[in-house]
Amino acid sequence: MRKTKSVRTVTALMLSMSVAAIMADIGRASAEINADKGFRWRDGAEVYSKVCSYCHEGQVGPRLFGRELPPEYIRAIVRNGNRAMPPFRSSEIDDESLAKLAEYIQRN
Ligand code: HEC
């Protein structure tokens, strides 16, 4: 009983720290966009490594690679979020980059 409770607390703590870290990253990315209107994500791999891998290669979210998740499903989750998964707006990940990202994840 006791153990389960502390594991849950640690997980919740890790998740809130991750969200804070990601929000700080996105803040920086937005600042970059404002400072330089020409900012663009290079490709799906860059978005994945800078935004998604933090949680999805760590202990926070489920693994996404090797599961052949449909790109439409990935795009919907990224735009809308789902429970502990935060949503991302098109000012953070534009539609074209999101399409590339979804294909990239499906391929891997
Ligand atoms: C702050 C941590 C965090 C970040 C950043 C994050 N995710 Fe997630 N993601 C989660 C969590 C946690 C879940 C599981 C949600 C649940 O079921 O409660 C999840 C679930 C998902 C799912 C559903 C997986 C399934 O098994 O059905 C997809 C798809 C997904 N995320 C894609 C992405 C993509 C793409 C990115 C990058 C743009 C991303 N996530 C960034 C935490 C994150």
Side-chain angles (χ1 to χ4, degrees), residues 15-65:
L15 187 59
S16 58
M17 288 189 311
S18 306
V19 171
I22 289 293
M23 291 313 165
D25 272 354
I26 290 171
R28 276 194 291 279
S30 307
E32 248 178 273
I33 292 167
N34 290 336
D36 171 15
K37 296 277 183 215
F39 174 85
R40 290 194 73 76
W41 293 106
R42 207 179 318 125
D43 51 23
E46 187 190 24
V47 184
Y48 182 81
S49 68
K50 293 201 170 150
V51 183
C52 321
S53 68
Y54 195 89
C55 291
H56 287 279
E57 299 285 322
Q59 308 295 317
V60 182
R63 282 194 64 78
L64 301 176
F65 288 164

Side-chain angles (χ1 to χ4, degrees), residues 51-52 55-56 60 62 64 67 73 77-78 82-85 105:
V51 183
C52 321
C55 291
H56 287 279
V60 182
L64 301 176
R67 295 178 51 202
Y73 173 71
I77 299 269
V78 169
N82 180 33
R83 298 190 292 180
M85 163 80 197
I105 291 171

